[in-house]
Amino acid sequence: MQNDPLTFGQLLERHERELFAYALRLSGQRADAEDLYQDTFLAAFRAWPPPRRGNERAWLYKIATNRAIDRERRAKRIVANVDDLALAAPERDDVTLADLAGAIETLPAGQRAAFVLRKVQGLAYAEIAMALECSEEAARARVSEALRKVKAAVA
Amino acid sequence: MDVAMGEARERLLGRAKREGLTTIGYDVLASPLGPLWVAIGPKGVTTIHYGDEPSQSELRRLVRVYGPGVVPDHRRSSALARELDEYFRGRRHTFDIDVDLSGLTPFQTRVLSATAKIPFGAVSTYGTVARRAGNAKASRAAGGALNHNPIPIVVPCHRVVGANGALVGYAGGLDAKRKLLAIEGADVARRR
């Protein structure tokens, strides 16, 4: 395991790429993703220090997820841009990205975050639980429910 | 780095700076001695580290003095980059940029200040530096302080050699020390 980050720069260099990708996948819009990425790291800098023993990754996802959900509640809409999503998710079989983007977009914010954290970002359930501030069982349940809905939508 | 990502980072760091959250800007510079990790704080250069990543102990010193706001910043390093480039090309004999030795012990600071006075092209010994730092018997301790010099090249610890003229040691490796002395045309046998 890496040492705990001592500086903003270390935190940024270690995690900014995946957080930027996560922001893109969550919001679907490049401009929104940039805002979310900036807001997440600024909030992390203000709240310094991060939790110890390598938990800073889940901490950043938690900040990003909460901000994305807040933003969505305020805006009441998230429109996925297929071009941006194409950068984020590999095209699979006969399901088009547009289908997938549409399906993900219809998920409630909490389920969408759980789905993206697990299926796109590849986080462990323990990390998802930390990021979403729920139990591991609840995290599994959210991912599984999201997966069921996405499968149904693209079937 | 992806262009959009880089632009987003610039804007993020701009916002962090305006909020007063950042204190030190760092960069990795290419040099004839390989990559150099350099950091600049409010009072001047704090660090030149051989390699593209600083040691954890160096970061701890920076954080102890200036807090965790140590962030990538290409613009801030440009004056140092220019002076180093001129030095490596043999066109600069003294550095004009300010150095910041905050966070070091008083003895380390005295040893490095004495070292900073050794002119381009000259060499001195650990014993002489120890004497100039106020403790003639502390040549071994002076060697230790020089080995942990946070700002090599600009604070020219490469100009300090053993009493017999042997190069002895250098944090950047003896090859680097040899190259620096060669750039300066220093005659190791001619000591001050």
Side-chain angles (χ1 to χ4, degrees), chain A residues 3-4 6-10 12-14 16-17 20 30 34-35 37-39 41-42 45-46 48, chain B residues 1-2 4-5 8-9 11-13 15-16 19 21-22 26 56 59-60 63 68-72:
Chain A
N3 295 315
D4 288 328
L6 297 172
T7 66
F8 297 173
Q10 273 186 323
L12 202 58
E13 293 198 8
R14 287 181 192 173
E16 68 178 340
R17 283 168 190 276
F20 191 74
R30 190 166 276 267
E34 278 197 24
D35 286 346
Y37 153 90
Q38 289 182 40
D39 290 349
F41 278 99
L42 264 187
F45 297 166
R46 291 189 198 115
W48 200 265
Chain B
M1 190 189 297
D2 177 51
M5 165 93 248
R9 184 203 258 193
R11 280 194 283 275
L12 162 65
L13 294 176
R15 286 171 70 188
E19 279 193 35
L21 293 165
T22 62
Y26 67 82
Q56 288 290 102
L59 280 185
R60 271 193 286 274
V63 170
V70 181
V71 295

Side-chain angles (χ1 to χ4, degrees), chain B residues 87-157:
Chain B
Y87 169 81
F88 285 123
R89 289 170 193 275
R91 293 181 192 154
R92 172 177 284 276
H93 292 187
T94 55
F95 288 92
D96 297 324
I97 199 156
D98 289 330
V99 298
D100 177 4
L101 297 172
S102 304
L104 302 177
T105 66
F107 180 70
Q108 279 176 308
T109 308
R110 286 201 305 276
V111 166
L112 295 174
S113 301
T115 303
K117 295 195 178 85
I118 308 168
F120 182 95
V123 289
S124 189
T125 66
Y126 293 97
T128 306
V129 168
R131 183 163 49 76
R132 288 184 183 160
N135 188 347
K137 291 178 185 164
S139 63
R140 189 175 290 267
L146 290 168
N147 192 40
H148 292 103
N149 174 12
I151 318 175
I153 307 172
V154 173
V155 175
C157 58

Side-chain angles (χ1 to χ4, degrees), chain B residues 127-187:
Chain B
T128 306
V129 168
R131 183 163 49 76
R132 288 184 183 160
N135 188 347
K137 291 178 185 164
S139 63
R140 189 175 290 267
L146 290 168
N147 192 40
H148 292 103
N149 174 12
I151 318 175
I153 307 172
V154 173
V155 175
C157 58
H158 57 277
R159 294 176 193 155
V160 184
V161 299
N164 58 359
L167 294 188
V168 184
Y170 190 61
L174 284 184
D175 262 358
K177 189 166 186 172
R178 229 172 262 124
K179 278 183 189 158
L180 291 169
L181 290 171
I183 287 170
E184 302 187 4
D187 178 0

Side-chain angles (χ1 to χ4, degrees), chain A residues 7-62:
Chain A
T7 66
F8 297 173
Q10 273 186 323
L11 186 79
L12 202 58
E13 293 198 8
R14 287 181 192 173
H15 300 292
E16 68 178 340
R17 283 168 190 276
E18 64 171 318
L19 261 296
F20 191 74
Y22 179 58
L24 203 51
R25 285 152 189 168
L26 218 53
S27 64
Q29 297 271 32
R30 190 166 276 267
D32 289 347
E34 278 197 24
D35 286 346
L36 183 55
Y37 153 90
Q38 289 182 40
D39 290 349
T40 299
F41 278 99
L42 264 187
F45 297 166
R46 291 189 198 115
W48 200 265
R52 297 178 69 81
R53 292 184 299 280
N55 286 332
E56 82 267 5
R57 186 174 181 231
W59 178 64
L60 287 170
Y61 276 113
K62 178 166 87 182

Side-chain angles (χ1 to χ4, degrees), chain A residues 10-152:
Chain A
Q10 273 186 323
L11 186 79
L12 202 58
E13 293 198 8
R14 287 181 192 173
H15 300 292
E16 68 178 340
R17 283 168 190 276
E18 64 171 318
L19 261 296
F20 191 74
Y22 179 58
L24 203 51
R25 285 152 189 168
L26 218 53
S27 64
Q29 297 271 32
R30 190 166 276 267
D32 289 347
E34 278 197 24
D35 286 346
L36 183 55
Y37 153 90
Q38 289 182 40
D39 290 349
T40 299
F41 278 99
L42 264 187
F45 297 166
R46 291 189 198 115
W48 200 265
R52 297 178 69 81
R53 292 184 299 280
N55 286 332
E56 82 267 5
R57 186 174 181 231
W59 178 64
L60 287 170
Y61 276 113
K62 178 166 87 182
I63 297 172
T65 307
N66 287 342
R67 293 204 159 240
I69 292 172
D70 283 352
R71 188 185 287 255
E72 184 174 340
R73 280 191 190 129
R74 278 198 304 273
K76 280 286 174 205
R77 65 178 188 90
I78 282 194
V79 184
N81 177 320
V82 177
D83 288 340
D84 281 343
L85 198 77
L87 297 167
E91 196 150 6
R92 284 188 208 159
D93 299 326
D94 55 340
V95 178
T96 68
L97 277 167
D99 293 339
L100 199 57
I104 293 172
E105 196 191 313
T106 59
L107 294 172
Q111 279 177 20
R112 181 166 63 240
F115 179 86
V116 175
L117 285 170
R118 179 66 193 164
K119 298 296 173 187
V120 189
Q121 303 296 101
L123 262 67
Y125 281 107
E127 288 179 301
I128 298 172
M130 249 185 272
L132 301 181
E133 296 181 288
C134 63
S135 67
E136 242 180 274
E137 292 69 37
R140 281 178 196 278
R142 279 194 212 177
V143 172
S144 130
E145 179 60 15
L147 190 58
R148 194 186 59 73
K149 285 184 183 165
V150 168
K151 276 184 179 162

